[in-house]
Amino acid sequence: MPSSWLSEAQAKRLIQLYGDAEKEMIQELNKALLKGNNTDNLQALLRNTRTIRADLLAGAREWCQDVVPMLYEKGMASTGLTGAGGGMLHQQAMQVLAENAYTRFWQVDQVIGRRIDDVYRDMALEAVRGDVAGYKTWQQTARAYRAKLAEEGITGFTDSRGRQWNMKTYSEMVARTTTRECMIEGTANRLLENGHDLAEIVGGVGKNTCSRCKTWLGRTVSLTGKTPGYPTMADARAGG
């Protein structure tokens, strides 16, 4: 299987995991919102979504442990070069990449938890208010939440550029960024291990290649910045 196919297949595996979890959590939220004046239902929402979140994090950790080394090694193999005594370096690099990826998924979990806690607090407050004063504003609050969930999914994820994402689109971005980074790091470290600082950026030019990437295709970069006259890999990353 070509490396690009393998990378995409592994990204889709994670995207499916998060997509299924989001559907489950939205079902639990809607279930509670339909009877938002019932504290038992709201507490069940917290219990059930915490179970889904725990399973999701466990799946993300397993994905990191499986996929990061696999794609990193694919990146090394793509150079056609053999190892030059840097085995420990590669092990450390894979460990750092896996930990960095898992940290991002843990951060996703924290955002999810805050969003669900927000729903719980708002609906619980409206339920108490209704018991005391006879109001039924919980119904209006529940309708607003359900409409937002139906239109946007679970939102609140912000990337390094300040852009807002929902759970589905954010997981897609993280999955593809992580798989690409593993391949690049494996390739770069194997080249450096064999004394090569210059590398040509290659790839497809199809509809799935973004405009930022297309501007770098075919260009030669210095992996470390030590070779004068060439843009660096850091420059390419800074360019998106």
Side-chain angles (χ1 to χ4, degrees):
M1 179 183 291
S3 297
S4 59
W5 293 0
L6 179 63
S7 177
E8 181 65 13
Q10 294 305 326
K12 286 181 177 178
R13 172 183 158 191
L14 188 73
I15 293 165
Q16 182 71 45
L17 181 70
Y18 273 79
D20 290 346
E22 183 178 38
K23 288 178 184 176
E24 286 187 69
M25 280 187 274
I26 289 176
Q27 287 174 355
E28 291 295 332
L29 283 161
N30 280 323
K31 189 192 307 180
L33 290 169
L34 285 169
K35 298 180 180 179
N37 61 334
N38 186 310
T39 304
D40 289 341
N41 283 315
L42 293 174
Q43 290 174 343
L45 165 68
L46 292 182
R47 289 194 302 271
N48 294 342
T49 53
R50 282 170 182 163
T51 298
I52 296 169
R53 286 168 54 201
D55 290 343
L56 183 58
L57 262 185
R61 181 174 288 282
E62 180 181 349
W63 185 88
C64 291
Q65 292 171 342
D66 291 347
V67 172
V68 169
M70 179 195 309
L71 294 180
Y72 184 96
E73 289 171 0
K74 276 287 183 181
M76 288 196 295
S78 70
T79 67
L81 301 170
T82 58
M88 183 59 69
L89 177 149
H90 296 302
Q91 290 298 320
Q92 291 174 344
M94 285 186 274
Q95 182 178 350
V96 169
L97 286 167
E99 289 174 353
N100 288 346
Y102 181 75
T103 296
R104 298 186 75 176
F105 301 133
W106 180 85
Q107 291 169 341
V108 168
D109 173 73
Q110 297 303 295
V111 173
I112 295 168
R114 287 195 294 271
R115 293 294 166 266
I116 293 172
D117 286 348
D118 287 344
V119 174
Y120 174 84
R121 284 192 297 268
D122 287 351
M123 294 306 301
L125 181 61
E126 293 297 346
V128 171
R129 186 177 297 164
D131 288 342
V132 172
Y135 296 153
K136 289 193 175 180
T137 54
W138 67 266
Q139 292 176 329
Q140 296 173 326
T141 303
R143 280 197 295 270
Y145 269 123
R146 292 185 68 209
K148 189 174 179 66
L149 283 169
E151 182 179 354
E152 301 177 3
I154 299 176
T155 59
F157 304 93
T158 306
D159 66 15
S160 59
R161 296 180 184 175
R163 294 175 297 185
Q164 293 287 321
W165 307 72
N166 63 30
M167 183 173 165
K168 180 178 184 295
T169 56
Y170 190 76
S171 67
E172 289 179 3
M173 184 271 289
V174 172
R176 292 199 165 94
T177 299
T178 300
T179 54
R180 183 171 62 246
E181 184 177 13
C182 292
M183 294 283 293
I184 290 172
E185 288 300 318
T187 303
N189 286 339
R190 178 65 95 201
L191 289 170
L192 290 171
E193 181 185 22
N194 282 269
H196 301 287
D197 182 54
L198 296 178
E200 181 183 354
I201 297 177
V202 297
V205 292
K207 62 180 181 180
N208 292 328
T209 303
C210 74
S211 58
R212 289 190 181 94
C213 291
K214 285 180 180 178
T215 64
W216 286 90
L217 290 177
R219 297 180 66 180
T220 298
V221 296
S222 168
L223 298 176
T224 65
K226 294 179 179 179
T227 305
Y230 293 91
T232 67
M233 193 65 190
D235 292 332
R237 284 183 168 135

